[in-house]
Structures are given as C-alpha cells and as structure tokens.
Amino acid sequence: QVQLVESGGGLVQAGGSLRLSCAASGSILAINAMGWYRQAPGQQRELVATITPGGSTNYADSVKGRFTISRDNAKRTVYLQMNSLKPEDTAVYYCNADRVLTIGGMYNPWGQGTQVTVSS
C-alpha cells in the first residue's frame, strides 16, 4: 500500500556533492518522521539523519555539518543533500519512514536503496 522510491545516487569524487530524494506513494494520509540510513559493505546499517514533519532534524556525528536533511510534506518527499563527501560515505543509502498512515493501516516502509560511491 505504500512505497518509497529513492533517486540521486551515483559516483562522485571526494569533496563533491550529491542530493538524494525519496518519494512516498500510495493512499497516504500522514507520515511521521522520515530518515536516511546507510549500509557499507560488510557493515551494519546505520542511521544518517532523520526529520520530523515539523522540521526537527537529527544527524549522525559523522555527517554533521556536511549533510542536510529536508522534506516537502506536500510532495511527501524527503531529501538528503550531501556535501564534502568522503570515501567513508560510500554505502547503499536507504530511505525510511517511521509511521505512514494509509487507509489500509500503518506502515514503516523502507526504500530499495541507492548506491553512493565516493572515490579518492
């Protein structure tokens, strides 16, 4: 009933920038917090950033000052602007929604993931 679709991943040199987008679709009535997670090869998935409907944000220490999360509630889309990228940012990035209310129930969906590769 709900789907999150990410876009914007790719290959970039260290110091460069990328912007990720994640759009929610379905018969959605409301979405609570949305966020971005990432998983590097051989590593556990970790939280990158979250944002509430009111715009309150939270960031992992490793990305503070470099990444900015934002959302467009009308478009039901969350963004992650990534600046000053480092090779250690290389990972598959996943979009997540804490609570998505639909006419069919409550969901905590994940996107399919988008690859971000930062070269030295």
Side-chain angles (χ1 to χ4, degrees):
Q1 291 295 311
V2 62
Q3 183 179 24
L4 302 181
V5 179
E6 301 113 324
S7 63
L11 175 64
V12 65
Q13 293 185 353
S17 299
L18 285 173
R19 185 185 67 191
L20 306 182
S21 299
C22 173
S25 63
S27 300
I28 298 171
L29 301 176
I31 303 176
N32 195 8
M34 302 184 75
W36 290 93
Y37 293 71
R38 67 187 182 186
Q39 186 169 206
Q43 304 296 314
Q44 293 185 319
R45 189 172 299 185
E46 64 176 352
L47 175 68
V48 176
T50 61
I51 185 168
T52 69
S56 180
T57 59
N58 183 52
Y59 297 92
D61 289 341
S62 60
V63 306
K64 286 182 179 178
R66 300 188 298 120
F67 291 10
T68 302
I69 188 171
S70 61
R71 66 190 288 170
D72 185 327
N73 292 327
K75 295 181 178 179
R76 302 197 186 283
T77 300
V78 63
Y79 306 92
L80 185 68
Q81 178 67 46
M82 303 184 293
N83 298 326
S84 301
L85 283 162
K86 304 175 181 180
E88 51 262 45
D89 295 318
T90 295
V92 177
Y93 284 70
Y94 298 91
C95 177
N96 172 257
D98 179 45
R99 297 202 307 171
V100 181
L101 179 64
T102 75
I103 59 174
M106 189 76 72
Y107 297 89
N108 298 288
W110 290 86
Q112 297 301 306
T114 184
Q115 177 70 48
V116 172
T117 302
V118 184
S119 62
S120 300

